[in-house]
Amino acid sequence: FLLSLQLEKKAKGKLQKQICPVVLDHFEKQYTAELGDAWSSVRDVLTSPWCWQHAVLLNRFSQSPGLESSLAEQGYHPAFPAALPYLPATFRCYTRTAPGRFPAQKHQPGRLKEYYLLNAASLLPVLALEVKDGERVLDLCAAPGGKSVAILQCACPGHFHCNEYDDLRSRWLEQTIESFIPDPFITLITVSKLDGRQIGALQPEFYDKVLVDAPCSNDRSWLFSADPQQAVLRLMHRKELSSMQFQLLRSAVQALHPGGSLVYSTCTLSRAENSDVINLMLSSCRNVMPVDLSGMARGVSQEFTFLSGMQQHELLVLPEKGRAWGPMYVAKLKKVSSS
């Protein structure tokens, strides 16, 4: 017991040193103004990686007989209740309230992994998208591939386009797909390295569902920027992100056929990259309308803490101790007519 306390203190000291004061100071000012009292408890979780939690998403394409009983022995339970508006039987995810991490599996060419470790909040955009068998689906900014894998745990799209503009991240995406998806299904998947802002013009009104998991100021990783100069550059460029996110969103709307829907998500708390981008889309684009997410939010309220006062088509997951998921912003829109 004493040894574990010493190790925890050592880990805390090591991790504490890595927090970037420039980023923390920036977040302190912005999020105190935007989140009010909620920020202090969120900050405590974001700056304390030893209390972070990981969910275990099972891979339906790789059967592992003892895995679920092993998870149960370690205190894991099914993460999502059956009361959700959309929860396919093939989608199985486990979480526990204790921090810590289930052992990761290494990539082995030709061998499928049995599970994917991730922040449970990152599955909410996938559940909000409600993909059905046979649909044409676009994951516009797909790397590292966790949400693409999660979509394929839910349904078998007729056509699945996973796009990632960044070359290094695109290779990561391809490796993730290879690690989780068997050969017959891989033929349904197109992986591209296009600029996501141009896909709408290249494939107008082609898709039933589009996921825009937009590049954003990733609050968790930015707080631990090892290089202070890189951190300063990131914060300078932060203002430009919302413009790119809006362009990606506009491209996604163009790529949807009328009646199709899209989900927009980020892993930041920043209002400029979240509600402001969606509000601009709704005010400047007459052929989209918001879709109510309150049913899903109610269904997962035992597992996640949401910022109050959001509109019905959006939600923001706030990390708190014991439910250290997020940050994750999710919003859903539907295309009602041609452009």
Side-chain angles (χ1 to χ4, degrees):
F1 177 71
L2 281 171
L3 180 64
S4 68
L5 272 179
Q6 285 169 345
L7 286 170
E8 188 178 310
K9 276 178 81 173
K10 191 176 176 185
K12 282 187 180 184
K14 191 178 174 188
L15 288 160
Q16 203 64 37
K17 280 179 200 159
Q18 294 173 351
I19 290 171
C20 182
V22 182
V23 176
L24 183 58
D25 184 55
H26 181 90
F27 284 2
E28 196 73 50
K29 294 188 180 89
Q30 180 180 347
Y31 294 148
T32 300
E34 291 184 11
L35 302 176
D37 295 341
W39 165 240
S40 60
S41 58
V42 170
R43 180 192 57 215
D44 288 349
V45 172
L46 289 182
T47 56
S48 312
W50 54 89
C51 77
W52 293 1
Q53 294 158 260
H54 294 83
V56 183
L57 176 68
L58 303 195
N59 184 11
R60 69 171 169 141
F61 303 112
S62 173
Q63 299 307 315
S64 176
L67 180 56
E68 285 176 276
S69 56
S70 171
L71 286 164
E73 282 164 21
Q74 294 181 53
Y76 285 85
H77 58 271
F80 297 99
L84 280 182
Y86 172 84
L87 190 72
T90 49
F91 183 89
R92 292 174 300 152
C93 179
Y94 286 81
T95 56
R96 64 176 183 182
T97 50
R101 192 181 179 126
F102 203 68
Q105 292 182 311
K106 285 192 169 65
H107 172 72
Q108 293 178 288
R111 186 170 175 184
L112 295 181
K113 291 186 181 182
E114 295 161 355
Y115 54 86
Y116 193 100
L117 300 178
L118 75 179
N119 184 321
S122 66
L123 295 169
L124 294 178
V126 172
L127 294 176
L129 197 61
E130 300 190 15
V131 174
K132 309 283 194 303
D133 287 348
E135 288 183 325
R136 291 189 284 201
V137 182
L138 168 63
D139 189 350
L140 194 66
C141 316
K147 291 181 182 68
S148 298
V149 166
I151 285 168
L152 289 164
Q153 302 309 311
C154 294
C156 178
H159 175 80
F160 191 23
H161 182 177
C162 300
N163 180 67
E164 177 54 52
Y165 185 48
D166 181 88
D167 193 54
L168 188 67
R169 285 172 62 81
S170 182
R171 288 204 292 276
W172 189 4
L173 168 67
E174 286 177 341
Q175 189 180 88
T176 302
I177 290 169
E178 186 190 321
S179 288
F180 285 91
I181 312 304
D183 285 341
F185 281 85
I186 284 186
T187 58
L188 302 172
I189 302 169
T190 303
V191 177
S192 66
K193 288 191 278 192
L194 300 165
D195 183 334
R197 293 169 292 189
Q198 295 167 0
I199 286 180
L202 293 169
Q203 295 182 299
E205 304 199 340
F206 182 76
Y207 295 97
D208 301 294
K209 303 279 168 69
V210 179
L211 175 62
V212 186
D213 186 43
C216 66
S217 49
N218 184 324
D219 295 351
R220 281 189 188 233
S221 67
W222 281 28
L223 272 168
F224 293 88
S225 302
D227 179 354
Q229 285 177 305
Q230 183 197 40
V232 171
L233 276 173
R234 278 175 166 174
L235 291 171
M236 282 169 60
H237 292 143
R238 195 177 196 205
K239 295 186 185 77
E240 297 161 23
L241 280 169
S242 56
S243 169
M244 180 184 60
Q245 290 156 348
F246 176 71
Q247 289 169 49
L248 287 167
L249 201 49
R250 202 165 50 186
S251 172
V253 170
Q254 205 177 347
L256 276 176
H257 72 66
S261 55
L262 71 84
V263 169
Y264 173 80
S265 61
T266 74
C267 51
T268 180
L269 298 159
S270 173
R271 190 184 294 157
E273 298 175 54
N274 294 339
S275 299
D276 289 357
V277 173
I278 292 294
N279 289 340
L280 180 59
M281 194 73 221
L282 287 167
S283 63
S284 64
C285 194
R286 288 182 185 168
N287 63 338
V288 292
M289 58 181 285
V291 178
D292 190 351
L293 289 177
S294 57
M296 186 180 80
R298 275 193 304 277
V300 297
S301 59
Q302 293 298 306
E303 192 82 56
F304 301 98
T305 302
F306 297 111
L307 180 66
S308 59
M310 302 293 278
Q311 296 180 81
Q312 287 190 318
H313 61 271
E314 59 178 357
L315 47 90
L316 178 61
V317 179
L318 300 178
E320 66 171 35
K321 286 203 169 105
R323 300 200 286 188
W325 314 116
M328 178 61 55
Y329 175 81
V330 185
K332 187 169 183 177
L333 304 175
K334 183 174 184 175
K335 185 170 182 175
V336 290
S337 63
S338 293
S339 307

